[in-house]
Amino acid sequence: MAMKAQALVDHLVENPVDDEYQPLSTYFPNEEVNSVEVIPEDTNALKIFFDGAVNAKGVGIRAILISPTGQHYPTTSRLWFFCTINTTEYEACIMGMNMAVDMDVEELLIMGDSDLIIRQTQGEWETWDIKLIPYRQHVEDLSKLFKSVEFRYIPWFHNELADALATLASILPYPGNVHIDPLEIQI
């Protein structure tokens, strides 16, 4: 330990700081975050991350299902009708839930970065938008098909993969009725 400290002192003596020295300007994009929630890994629930994207090129949705053993099942779709971001978020959530139904999953942990959608599905907020009421009802109906369902809000920076792939789905041209090989992503 003393040898390492002496090496540091020797380096600083040989390389003094001159008048041109400027301290690093650090940027912490998430400095307003004051807590991080850890999702327990011992859960038997299938995790669903979902997101939607709306831009000038189109509308894309994405859901990623992660099994308790760590298997990833991503899916993406391009919507052929214009809709709001809240509608795309519901569409993405429903797409993920439908996949879980097809896989005979019993327990779900559904995570998204839309505070509105998560709070509406948790029953904390009412759904007043006439276009969103059927979506909210459909999520509620799908929830009854599982033994347990938990909806959890996560900040967008924890939902980056779903966000990026939903954006890609919205901007890439997609020829209808053509088979496209799935994207392989190494984590």
Side-chain angles (χ1 to χ4, degrees):
M1 184 90 134
M3 181 67 127
K4 290 180 185 177
Q6 186 60 47
L8 178 60
V9 169
D10 290 342
H11 174 76
L12 291 174
V13 168
E14 292 175 14
N15 301 293
V17 176
D18 58 13
D19 292 335
E20 295 177 23
Y21 174 75
Q22 300 254 337
L24 289 175
S25 174
T26 56
Y27 171 66
F28 297 103
N30 302 319
E31 62 188 359
E32 72 278 358
V33 176
N34 61 6
S35 67
V36 175
E37 183 177 348
V38 176
I39 300 167
E41 292 300 320
D42 60 344
T43 180
N44 288 329
L46 180 99
K47 296 177 189 134
I48 297 177
F49 293 85
F50 69 92
D51 203 11
V54 177
N55 56 45
K57 297 267 188 180
V59 180
I61 59 174
R62 182 69 174 181
I64 301 167
L65 283 67
I66 304 175
S67 74
T69 60
Q71 291 290 105
H72 286 62
Y73 303 95
T75 186
T76 189
S77 183
R78 185 171 181 152
L79 301 182
W80 294 102
F81 57 93
F82 180 77
C83 53
T84 65
I85 189 64
N86 291 331
T87 305
T88 64
E89 296 282 346
Y90 266 118
E91 287 275 354
C93 180
I94 290 168
M95 181 172 66
M97 291 178 79
N98 283 331
M99 284 181 64
V101 167
D102 292 343
M103 295 170 70
D104 294 323
V105 171
E106 292 184 355
E107 298 177 31
L108 282 181
L109 173 56
I110 302 173
M111 295 175 280
D113 58 15
S114 170
D115 197 31
L116 176 84
I117 304 306
I118 297 299
R119 289 184 184 260
Q120 286 178 349
T121 55
Q122 290 174 332
E124 293 178 28
W125 291 355
E126 290 293 321
T127 310
W128 296 106
D129 186 338
I130 193 78
K131 292 174 280 202
L132 296 182
I133 292 173
Y135 284 105
R136 169 65 188 99
Q137 184 61 51
H138 191 62
V139 168
E140 190 175 304
D141 293 343
L142 282 171
S143 295
K144 294 174 184 172
L145 301 176
F146 302 98
K147 187 160 86 172
S148 72
V149 177
E150 179 185 347
F151 292 90
R152 191 178 295 172
Y153 169 77
I154 57 171
W156 66 267
F157 50 86
H158 289 299
N159 204 21
E160 289 174 323
L161 182 58
D163 179 61
L165 295 173
T167 302
L168 278 175
S170 70
I171 62 174
L172 294 176
Y174 178 77
N177 298 328
V178 174
H179 173 74
I180 297 176
D181 289 327
L183 252 150
E184 287 192 29
I185 300 169
Q186 187 173 7
I187 297 178

